[in-house]
Amino acid sequence: GLISITPFLTQHILNIPLALESEAKAMFYLMALSIPLVLVSSSLTGVLAAGQRFDLVNAVSGSFNIANFILTLVGVLYLDWDLTEIVALLVVSRFLALFAHYWLCIRVFPSFKRPRFDPAELRTLLAFGGWVTVSSIVVPILLYLDRFIIGASLTMAAVAYYSIPYEIVTRLWIIPTSLVATLFPAFSMLAGQGQPARLVSLLARSMKWMVLTLGTAVVIITAFAGEILQIWLGSDFARESTLVLQILALGILINSMVHVQYAVVQALGRPDLTAKFHLLQLPLHGFLVWWLVSLWGITGAALAQSIRLSVEALLLFVAACRLASLPFQSLIHDKVLQSSLLLFLF
């Protein structure tokens, strides 16, 4: 699908200079090739995570991430690579990572190389996996729709002024993403063993530590956004992107809770709720981005994204609390509210 619409995107939708059009097409083609590699590799990573083998998951991801950075640096500085060659290298890296994950799955679960078909489980897997697939398709659109609208409505320079602060703050997602990678199997186990009290306690404590760890970093980034951009990228970026960075940082903080609640909802067997929430957001977010970008440019895009992240956090918080029967007293007992108040004062 992405391959087929690439010429239309590069020639009619995005304001790409004619000199860069062929390179942009190559980027889209390479990204399209990487999609199945990423999906299959993620599934294999989930198999290892279900077996609590996070040491193997981290060994593969850490090794390939370091290798990607080093090879990209060598290619740019010493081999004079262009962007197409760098992205092609990353696609090859994805393929090698997939093979490494598959080999480790066979070592940890020997029966994995002799899969068997169980018709009784097929309906459950299709229902669960179908809703997860819906979210996996819609979420990237929600995350990148603002850049497409900025590129179509403003200029590619505006995309850069927006994308860089966006990439800065979304790197903070490594904290909740890493936490959730271990929480999902734990939530699933506690739900399967019928231990709701322990599940509720783990949920509340995870929310507390998320507030304390991620919140501190967000406050510092928000307070010193101008100085960070000035030192790193110069006065032009500081002037254009400071407010964007501050707005997005607050949205990321509010949304950080989503990762924990998302894991609870999925572990309790309700991926349909998250998928429906994402589908509901898509047209509303698209209209909101278009409207606010037309009013305030990239600042409007940042505001639209933060509003969406906040609404998503509220919806998933309500869903997780109801599914897990999280009592309000638990938020006090496990110091979730106290930690939030402390962060607010900070």
Side-chain angles (χ1 to χ4, degrees):
L2 181 58
I3 292 176
S4 63
I5 66 172
T6 289
F8 178 73
L9 286 175
T10 55
Q11 295 172 11
H12 303 290
I13 300 299
L14 301 177
N15 292 325
I16 298 175
L18 187 60
L20 300 176
E21 188 175 300
S22 60
E23 188 175 54
K25 287 182 180 179
M27 295 302 99
F28 276 104
Y29 291 142
L30 288 170
M31 286 190 293
L33 291 175
S34 71
I35 290 175
L37 300 177
V38 172
L39 292 176
V40 176
S41 185
S42 298
S43 300
L44 296 175
T45 300
V47 172
L48 294 173
Q52 302 289 311
R53 293 308 306 267
F54 300 106
D55 55 336
L56 299 180
V57 173
N58 290 332
V60 174
S61 62
S63 300
F64 276 94
N65 286 340
I66 293 172
N68 288 342
F69 281 117
I70 293 176
L71 291 174
T72 301
L73 181 65
V74 171
V76 172
L77 294 182
Y78 301 104
L79 302 179
D80 197 27
W81 283 358
D82 59 22
L83 188 59
T84 304
E85 292 169 318
I86 293 173
V87 176
L89 169 69
L90 298 179
V91 173
V92 172
S93 175
R94 290 287 189 181
F95 175 78
L96 295 175
L98 185 154
F99 179 79
H101 283 124
Y102 178 72
W103 182 77
L104 290 173
C105 285
I106 293 176
R107 295 292 299 272
V108 176
F109 304 102
S111 60
F112 193 79
K113 60 183 176 181
R114 295 185 300 274
R116 62 185 181 86
F117 179 72
D118 187 353
E121 297 291 336
L122 181 60
R123 183 175 180 180
T124 301
L125 289 174
L126 288 177
F128 192 97
W131 286 114
V132 171
T133 301
V134 170
S135 291
S136 299
I137 294 172
V138 176
V139 168
I141 298 175
L142 289 170
L143 293 177
Y144 289 95
L145 181 62
D146 43 13
R147 304 189 202 191
F148 279 96
I149 293 178
I150 291 172
S153 304
L154 304 176
T155 63
M156 295 308 293
V159 175
Y161 285 130
Y162 177 82
S163 297
I164 290 180
Y166 183 93
E167 293 297 330
I168 293 174
V169 294
T170 52
R171 287 295 179 268
L172 294 173
W173 270 336
I174 191 174
I175 297 174
T177 301
S178 301
L179 180 62
V180 167
T182 59
L183 285 178
F184 178 73
F187 286 142
S188 298
M189 180 187 68
L190 294 174
Q193 294 176 349
Q195 301 186 51
R198 291 185 60 191
L199 190 151
V200 165
S201 177
L202 180 60
L203 170 61
R205 286 185 287 119
S206 300
M207 292 170 62
K208 177 188 70 175
W209 288 111
M210 193 73 72
V211 168
L212 293 175
T213 54
L214 196 65
T216 303
V218 166
V219 170
I220 293 173
I221 289 175
T222 304
F224 299 102
E227 289 79 359
I228 292 172
L229 291 172
Q230 173 73 36
I231 294 172
W232 184 29
L233 297 169
S235 57
D236 288 342
F237 266 92
R239 182 178 62 254
E240 298 288 341
S241 303
T242 295
L243 186 56
V244 172
L245 179 57
Q246 293 170 328
I247 294 173
L248 288 173
L250 294 175
I252 292 298
L253 174 60
I254 297 172
N255 185 258
S256 63
M257 296 298 104
V258 165
H259 293 76
V260 178
Q261 296 145 15
Y262 182 86
V264 171
V265 173
Q266 299 284 86
L268 294 177
R270 293 302 306 273
D272 60 304
L273 290 178
T274 54
K276 291 172 183 176
F277 291 158
H278 292 143
L279 288 171
L280 176 64
Q281 294 174 54
L282 187 56
L284 299 176
H285 179 60
F287 172 76
L288 187 62
V289 172
W290 172 80
W291 180 47
L292 293 180
V293 166
S294 64
L295 290 177
W296 299 312
I298 60 173
T299 302
L303 184 60
Q305 189 67 263
S306 293
I307 291 173
R308 185 195 70 80
L309 293 173
S310 301
V311 171
E312 183 180 49
L314 177 62
L315 292 173
L316 281 173
F317 177 77
V318 173
C321 288
R322 289 187 175 182
L323 288 174
S325 299
L326 177 67
F328 182 78
Q329 292 81 358
S330 181
L331 299 179
I332 299 176
H333 178 267
D334 289 298
K335 298 182 173 59
V336 178
L337 294 180
Q338 295 92 319
S339 300
S340 301
L341 178 60
L342 179 64
L343 177 66
F344 177 77
L345 293 175
F346 175 53

